[in-house]
Amino acid sequence: MTTATAPLSSETGRSHLQESLFSWLDPEDAPPLAETKTLVESDPEGPPVPPVEEERPDLSHVWVVAAEIEVLPKVAKVADYRGSFKATEGLRIDALEVYCKGCRRPYDEVTGQDCAAKIDNRHLIGGDQSTRAKRKVPVPPRNARVVPGGRIQRRGIEAYVGGVSRPPR
């Protein structure tokens, strides 16, 4: 069986479909864009142009409440499994503590201040790591004598046989 194929032109093939989809991208057919206003130096005879204010980042606290809620055993099981549960309407919740979710500081201490976590998060990791004090090596007591032990093989078959890398029986 033989089939005859005719060369496809742009009108009979699929290419004319894609041309119509992207015709709006051509500069001569494109709709006019909204005009953008630029800040122009003020003319000596005209009124002064107000400076454009930069957007300030939001440094406000995100307050959360540590709460204590008495629930039924069934709800407790769901909350333990999922990590959340639905409370009933009108349920009274005792607030244990109110603190910022970002900087983890109490409401009373930081009310009216910017959130330290949004400015610099170093306080959550114990301060600046480059200037932090190193760990101190414990000093043995005066009458203690350090006795060097043998070399412990931690790799290979000797470690396995010796019980270093396997659990005790």
Side-chain angles (χ1 to χ4, degrees), residues 6 9 21 31 34 44 46 50-51 53 57 59 64 75 80 86 90 94 99 101 108 119 122 124 132 144 158 160 165:
S9 66
L21 286 176
E53 294 184 23
L59 299 176
V64 293
V75 176
D80 183 49
K86 291 186 178 181
D94 298 328
Y99 59 94
K101 187 176 185 179
D108 300 341
I119 297 169
R122 286 190 210 154
L124 292 176
R132 202 162 125 186
E158 291 85 13
Y160 182 77
S165 63

Side-chain angles (χ1 to χ4, degrees), residues 5 103 147 158 162 168:
T5 58
C103 65
V147 179
E158 291 85 13

Side-chain angles (χ1 to χ4, degrees), residues 59 61 102-103 105 113-123:
L59 299 176
H61 293 278
C103 65
R105 293 188 176 149
Q113 300 174 8
D114 291 336
C115 182
K118 293 182 180 178
I119 297 169
D120 185 14
N121 213 10
R122 286 190 210 154
H123 72 284

Side-chain angles (χ1 to χ4, degrees), residues 50-131:
V52 178
E53 294 184 23
E54 296 179 13
E55 290 186 26
R56 294 179 51 204
D58 182 25
L59 299 176
S60 61
H61 293 278
V62 178
W63 299 111
V64 293
V65 177
E68 189 173 283
I69 304 169
E70 191 173 324
V71 293
L72 300 173
K74 181 180 176 183
V75 176
K77 183 178 180 181
V78 170
D80 183 49
Y81 179 73
R82 290 189 176 170
S84 65
F85 67 97
K86 291 186 178 181
T88 60
E89 184 180 343
L91 181 68
R92 176 112 176 131
I93 300 171
D94 298 328
L96 299 176
E97 186 179 6
V98 179
Y99 59 94
C100 176
K101 187 176 185 179
C103 65
R104 305 267 187 202
R105 293 188 176 149
Y107 180 81
D108 300 341
E109 291 180 11
V110 293
T111 304
Q113 300 174 8
D114 291 336
C115 182
K118 293 182 180 178
I119 297 169
D120 185 14
N121 213 10
R122 286 190 210 154
H123 72 284
L124 292 176
I125 57 172
D128 187 8
Q129 299 295 311
S130 64
T131 60

Side-chain angles (χ1 to χ4, degrees), residues 28-66:
E28 62 270 356
D29 297 336
L33 297 174
E35 293 182 15
T36 56
K37 294 182 181 180
T38 58
L39 183 63
V40 181
E41 295 284 332
S42 60
D43 295 331
E45 60 271 349
V49 178
V52 178
E53 294 184 23
E54 296 179 13
E55 290 186 26
R56 294 179 51 204
D58 182 25
L59 299 176
S60 61
H61 293 278
V62 178
W63 299 111
V64 293
V65 177

